[in-house]
Amino acid sequence: MYIGAHANRQHDLGTDLGSDPSQSTSNKAMGLAEGVLLVCDIEAVVTSRIWVDYELYRTVRMDANLDIVIHANGSPHLIAANPLPNESPYQKNKREKNFPFGAVCNKLLSVELQNGDSSQEIDKIRILNTMIDSNPLDCNGVLARVEKKDIKDAKYVNDLKLFTISNAALRAEMACKSVSVSLSIDGQMYDSFYGFNLLEIIRNDKMRESIMFNDLTSLDSVTDSVFCTLVKLVGPNVKRFEIDVKGCRNITNKAIELLSLPGTLQHLLLNLGYARNITNEDLIKLMKKIPPALVSLDLDVCGFKRPDGKYLPERYGTLLVELSKHIPSKLRQLKFISTLDDEDGGLDGLVMFISALPPSITSLSIKFEVWSSFKGHMIVDIFKSLPSTLEEFSIYLYDGDYIEDDHLSMVAEEIQRLDRLRDLSIHSRSRPIDGQYKIRDFHSVSEVLSFA
């Protein structure tokens, strides 16, 4: 953990921060860290400090996680890039509704880096020159232009264009974090969130390469129109898009019909789990719309679980056969979650699905929340179908037969063919017999090889 106030000598900041902001200790620390936590006051005064703004900008540009915590109404409130340990996306959204957005939006959604203050004028000069990629860094011309604000000055106009790019990145990061809350609070919406249009703020960040809405789970306010509006934010510069609408009962086949993704997209997480109104035919249409350049796909198409335990719509092996015809040819990573309801097993469809994976595939994860017709011997056929290029493989099977030792022995033989396989997970939970489950749980290649 790196804490700027403690890591840098406050009586001699120049030594630790240096003359080049991009080479400062804080910037180097952010390059190594998984993310940054901004401890913010209720007035968001920290955003008026240019060093803070610069570090936030660098965090966003490095595509690192940015979390913000504020103490308000007697307790801390956190908005985080990812759910907390053991926290579901639904719980994350419910917790973040208490974040004091109304008090801080005016600062966090309208930040202007070039207007930030610094204790040392030379620090601001160097940061401003860094932001516009101008040398020498100690030249004070940029600060003079910022203070004068002469729109007839061509240099100032050019500076302002570059600052606008930085400001747009900071604002869009906060706007993305606000979308799920805007859909959860009465009287708010993403196009009018405490007076701000979150969609417009996100669209204004022309350099943004990732957009993630991973906490929209089970929101009745998420309709086909809302879903498609959020998808339309994915422009040609965006390489990664994640949207989790699991359990959103107002999502229907209309969302699939209207779905359009840019062909340049490389990473897609699309969680349509528990969507009671999306049929197998709709999912085939969906796969036909998957961008061909995609290198990673995380797709959840589980049916909706009724009170009697049955999942609807039922997902059959024939669906897997049809989906296999539209797998992107450059795919390297695939995570697929569904149910499998075939009375005749569904194995043939799964084997065909796996066999259709391109030679580029290195990571595969398959999870069936229910596969009641699974038989223990099928695990052998699954491993026989795995491509030799795999480096990571995980499979989760629920409510089928128990996997016996002799089947694991044959799996171990197949693993020896997969000489690139480094990481392996097998988890199965049989259907209950006399109220008890039988479980297999392996987390390494060596564990399974011990059955050889």
PDB file of all heavy atoms in Angstrom, residues 39-43 68-78 99-100:
ATOM      1  N   VAL A  39      -9.600   9.199  -0.832  1.00  0.00           N
ATOM      2  CA  VAL A  39     -10.284   9.555   0.408  1.00  0.00           C
ATOM      3  C   VAL A  39     -10.717  11.005   0.262  1.00  0.00           C
ATOM      4  O   VAL A  39      -9.894  11.914   0.254  1.00  0.00           O
ATOM      5  CB  VAL A  39      -9.370   9.363   1.632  1.00  0.00           C
ATOM      6  CG1 VAL A  39     -10.125   9.715   2.911  1.00  0.00           C
ATOM      7  CG2 VAL A  39      -8.863   7.923   1.695  1.00  0.00           C
ATOM      8  N   CYS A  40     -12.027  11.206   0.142  1.00  0.00           N
ATOM      9  CA  CYS A  40     -12.566  12.506  -0.251  1.00  0.00           C
ATOM     10  C   CYS A  40     -13.415  13.110   0.865  1.00  0.00           C
ATOM     11  O   CYS A  40     -14.080  12.390   1.607  1.00  0.00           O
ATOM     12  CB  CYS A  40     -13.419  12.312  -1.506  1.00  0.00           C
ATOM     13  SG  CYS A  40     -13.930  13.822  -2.333  1.00  0.00           S
ATOM     14  N   ASP A  41     -13.383  14.417   0.975  1.00  0.00           N
ATOM     15  CA  ASP A  41     -14.238  15.109   1.926  1.00  0.00           C
ATOM     16  C   ASP A  41     -15.576  15.407   1.263  1.00  0.00           C
ATOM     17  O   ASP A  41     -15.713  15.349   0.043  1.00  0.00           O
ATOM     18  CB  ASP A  41     -13.576  16.419   2.361  1.00  0.00           C
ATOM     19  CG  ASP A  41     -13.286  17.318   1.178  1.00  0.00           C
ATOM     20  OD1 ASP A  41     -12.342  17.011   0.414  1.00  0.00           O
ATOM     21  OD2 ASP A  41     -14.012  18.304   1.003  1.00  0.00           O
ATOM     22  N   ILE A  42     -16.598  15.733   2.069  1.00  0.00           N
ATOM     23  CA  ILE A  42     -17.944  15.937   1.555  1.00  0.00           C
ATOM     24  C   ILE A  42     -18.015  17.120   0.592  1.00  0.00           C
ATOM     25  O   ILE A  42     -18.894  17.168  -0.287  1.00  0.00           O
ATOM     26  CB  ILE A  42     -18.942  16.130   2.720  1.00  0.00           C
ATOM     27  CG1 ILE A  42     -20.389  16.003   2.211  1.00  0.00           C
ATOM     28  CG2 ILE A  42     -18.712  17.457   3.416  1.00  0.00           C
ATOM     29  CD1 ILE A  42     -20.758  14.657   1.704  1.00  0.00           C
ATOM     30  N   GLU A  43     -17.080  18.064   0.695  1.00  0.00           N
ATOM     31  CA  GLU A  43     -17.044  19.201  -0.219  1.00  0.00           C
ATOM     32  C   GLU A  43     -16.202  18.911  -1.459  1.00  0.00           C
ATOM     33  O   GLU A  43     -16.093  19.743  -2.360  1.00  0.00           O
ATOM     34  CB  GLU A  43     -16.485  20.435   0.499  1.00  0.00           C
ATOM     35  CG  GLU A  43     -17.287  20.863   1.720  1.00  0.00           C
ATOM     36  CD  GLU A  43     -18.675  21.359   1.358  1.00  0.00           C
ATOM     37  OE1 GLU A  43     -18.844  21.831   0.219  1.00  0.00           O
ATOM     38  OE2 GLU A  43     -19.571  21.268   2.214  1.00  0.00           O
ATOM     39  N   ILE A  68     -13.642   5.401  -4.368  1.00  0.00           N
ATOM     40  CA  ILE A  68     -13.774   6.684  -3.678  1.00  0.00           C
ATOM     41  C   ILE A  68     -14.534   6.480  -2.377  1.00  0.00           C
ATOM     42  O   ILE A  68     -15.613   5.864  -2.370  1.00  0.00           O
ATOM     43  CB  ILE A  68     -14.517   7.714  -4.553  1.00  0.00           C
ATOM     44  CG1 ILE A  68     -13.813   7.887  -5.902  1.00  0.00           C
ATOM     45  CG2 ILE A  68     -14.617   9.065  -3.838  1.00  0.00           C
ATOM     46  CD1 ILE A  68     -14.564   8.783  -6.876  1.00  0.00           C
ATOM     47  N   VAL A  69     -13.977   6.987  -1.272  1.00  0.00           N
ATOM     48  CA  VAL A  69     -14.653   6.889   0.016  1.00  0.00           C
ATOM     49  C   VAL A  69     -14.833   8.293   0.597  1.00  0.00           C
ATOM     50  O   VAL A  69     -13.943   9.137   0.505  1.00  0.00           O
ATOM     51  CB  VAL A  69     -13.865   5.988   1.000  1.00  0.00           C
ATOM     52  CG1 VAL A  69     -12.492   6.575   1.326  1.00  0.00           C
ATOM     53  CG2 VAL A  69     -14.658   5.757   2.276  1.00  0.00           C
ATOM     54  N   ILE A  70     -16.023   8.532   1.141  1.00  0.00           N
ATOM     55  CA  ILE A  70     -16.373   9.829   1.739  1.00  0.00           C
ATOM     56  C   ILE A  70     -17.038   9.582   3.086  1.00  0.00           C
ATOM     57  O   ILE A  70     -17.875   8.683   3.219  1.00  0.00           O
ATOM     58  CB  ILE A  70     -17.329  10.622   0.829  1.00  0.00           C
ATOM     59  CG1 ILE A  70     -16.604  11.098  -0.441  1.00  0.00           C
ATOM     60  CG2 ILE A  70     -17.916  11.830   1.549  1.00  0.00           C
ATOM     61  CD1 ILE A  70     -17.490  11.880  -1.385  1.00  0.00           C
ATOM     62  N   HIS A  71     -16.667  10.373   4.073  1.00  0.00           N
ATOM     63  CA  HIS A  71     -17.321  10.290   5.384  1.00  0.00           C
ATOM     64  C   HIS A  71     -18.478  11.291   5.398  1.00  0.00           C
ATOM     65  O   HIS A  71     -18.287  12.491   5.206  1.00  0.00           O
ATOM     66  CB  HIS A  71     -16.327  10.598   6.503  1.00  0.00           C
ATOM     67  CG  HIS A  71     -16.882  10.310   7.873  1.00  0.00           C
ATOM     68  ND1 HIS A  71     -17.658  11.213   8.555  1.00  0.00           N
ATOM     69  CD2 HIS A  71     -16.789   9.202   8.659  1.00  0.00           C
ATOM     70  CE1 HIS A  71     -18.009  10.688   9.717  1.00  0.00           C
ATOM     71  NE2 HIS A  71     -17.499   9.470   9.809  1.00  0.00           N
ATOM     72  N   ALA A  72     -19.682  10.772   5.594  1.00  0.00           N
ATOM     73  CA  ALA A  72     -20.867  11.635   5.603  1.00  0.00           C
ATOM     74  C   ALA A  72     -21.937  11.031   6.506  1.00  0.00           C
ATOM     75  O   ALA A  72     -22.066   9.804   6.585  1.00  0.00           O
ATOM     76  CB  ALA A  72     -21.421  11.811   4.190  1.00  0.00           C
ATOM     77  N   ASN A  73     -22.671  11.879   7.184  1.00  0.00           N
ATOM     78  CA  ASN A  73     -23.759  11.438   8.061  1.00  0.00           C
ATOM     79  C   ASN A  73     -23.305  10.413   9.093  1.00  0.00           C
ATOM     80  O   ASN A  73     -24.009   9.459   9.406  1.00  0.00           O
ATOM     81  CB  ASN A  73     -24.908  10.859   7.220  1.00  0.00           C
ATOM     82  CG  ASN A  73     -25.464  11.865   6.231  1.00  0.00           C
ATOM     83  OD1 ASN A  73     -25.623  13.042   6.551  1.00  0.00           O
ATOM     84  ND2 ASN A  73     -25.746  11.417   5.017  1.00  0.00           N
ATOM     85  N   GLY A  74     -22.076  10.612   9.573  1.00  0.00           N
ATOM     86  CA  GLY A  74     -21.583   9.786  10.663  1.00  0.00           C
ATOM     87  C   GLY A  74     -20.941   8.482  10.280  1.00  0.00           C
ATOM     88  O   GLY A  74     -20.538   7.710  11.165  1.00  0.00           O
ATOM     89  N   SER A  75     -20.801   8.198   8.981  1.00  0.00           N
ATOM     90  CA  SER A  75     -20.188   6.928   8.583  1.00  0.00           C
ATOM     91  C   SER A  75     -19.535   7.070   7.211  1.00  0.00           C
ATOM     92  O   SER A  75     -19.885   7.952   6.430  1.00  0.00           O
ATOM     93  CB  SER A  75     -21.237   5.814   8.546  1.00  0.00           C
ATOM     94  OG  SER A  75     -22.241   6.114   7.598  1.00  0.00           O
ATOM     95  N   PRO A  76     -18.583   6.177   6.886  1.00  0.00           N
ATOM     96  CA  PRO A  76     -17.939   6.229   5.574  1.00  0.00           C
ATOM     97  C   PRO A  76     -18.833   5.598   4.502  1.00  0.00           C
ATOM     98  O   PRO A  76     -19.588   4.666   4.777  1.00  0.00           O
ATOM     99  CB  PRO A  76     -16.664   5.400   5.783  1.00  0.00           C
ATOM    100  CG  PRO A  76     -17.017   4.445   6.876  1.00  0.00           C
ATOM    101  CD  PRO A  76     -17.972   5.165   7.778  1.00  0.00           C
ATOM    102  N   HIS A  77     -18.722   6.111   3.294  1.00  0.00           N
ATOM    103  CA  HIS A  77     -19.476   5.576   2.164  1.00  0.00           C
ATOM    104  C   HIS A  77     -18.512   5.365   1.007  1.00  0.00           C
ATOM    105  O   HIS A  77     -17.717   6.245   0.681  1.00  0.00           O
ATOM    106  CB  HIS A  77     -20.597   6.529   1.757  1.00  0.00           C
ATOM    107  CG  HIS A  77     -21.577   6.807   2.862  1.00  0.00           C
ATOM    108  ND1 HIS A  77     -22.596   5.950   3.177  1.00  0.00           N
ATOM    109  CD2 HIS A  77     -21.661   7.837   3.733  1.00  0.00           C
ATOM    110  CE1 HIS A  77     -23.289   6.442   4.191  1.00  0.00           C
ATOM    111  NE2 HIS A  77     -22.739   7.584   4.552  1.00  0.00           N
ATOM    112  N   LEU A  78     -18.613   4.208   0.371  1.00  0.00           N
ATOM    113  CA  LEU A  78     -17.638   3.810  -0.645  1.00  0.00           C
ATOM    114  C   LEU A  78     -18.328   3.478  -1.959  1.00  0.00           C
ATOM    115  O   LEU A  78     -19.345   2.788  -1.991  1.00  0.00           O
ATOM    116  CB  LEU A  78     -16.863   2.581  -0.159  1.00  0.00           C
ATOM    117  CG  LEU A  78     -15.925   1.889  -1.158  1.00  0.00           C
ATOM    118  CD1 LEU A  78     -14.680   2.745  -1.399  1.00  0.00           C
ATOM    119  CD2 LEU A  78     -15.531   0.507  -0.658  1.00  0.00           C
ATOM    120  N   PHE A  99     -24.185   6.450  -1.019  1.00  0.00           N
ATOM    121  CA  PHE A  99     -23.079   7.372  -1.277  1.00  0.00           C
ATOM    122  C   PHE A  99     -23.661   8.771  -1.527  1.00  0.00           C
ATOM    123  O   PHE A  99     -24.658   8.915  -2.242  1.00  0.00           O
ATOM    124  CB  PHE A  99     -22.275   6.904  -2.489  1.00  0.00           C
ATOM    125  CG  PHE A  99     -21.000   7.657  -2.716  1.00  0.00           C
ATOM    126  CD1 PHE A  99     -19.841   7.296  -2.052  1.00  0.00           C
ATOM    127  CD2 PHE A  99     -20.956   8.729  -3.597  1.00  0.00           C
ATOM    128  CE1 PHE A  99     -18.653   7.989  -2.269  1.00  0.00           C
ATOM    129  CE2 PHE A  99     -19.782   9.424  -3.824  1.00  0.00           C
ATOM    130  CZ  PHE A  99     -18.628   9.052  -3.144  1.00  0.00           C
ATOM    131  N   PRO A 100     -23.067   9.813  -0.960  1.00  0.00           N
ATOM    132  CA  PRO A 100     -23.645  11.171  -1.079  1.00  0.00           C
ATOM    133  C   PRO A 100     -23.403  11.805  -2.446  1.00  0.00           C
ATOM    134  O   PRO A 100     -22.744  12.848  -2.564  1.00  0.00           O
ATOM    135  CB  PRO A 100     -22.945  11.934   0.041  1.00  0.00           C
ATOM    136  CG  PRO A 100     -21.621  11.271   0.185  1.00  0.00           C
ATOM    137  CD  PRO A 100     -21.886   9.810  -0.063  1.00  0.00           C
TER     138      PRO A 100
END
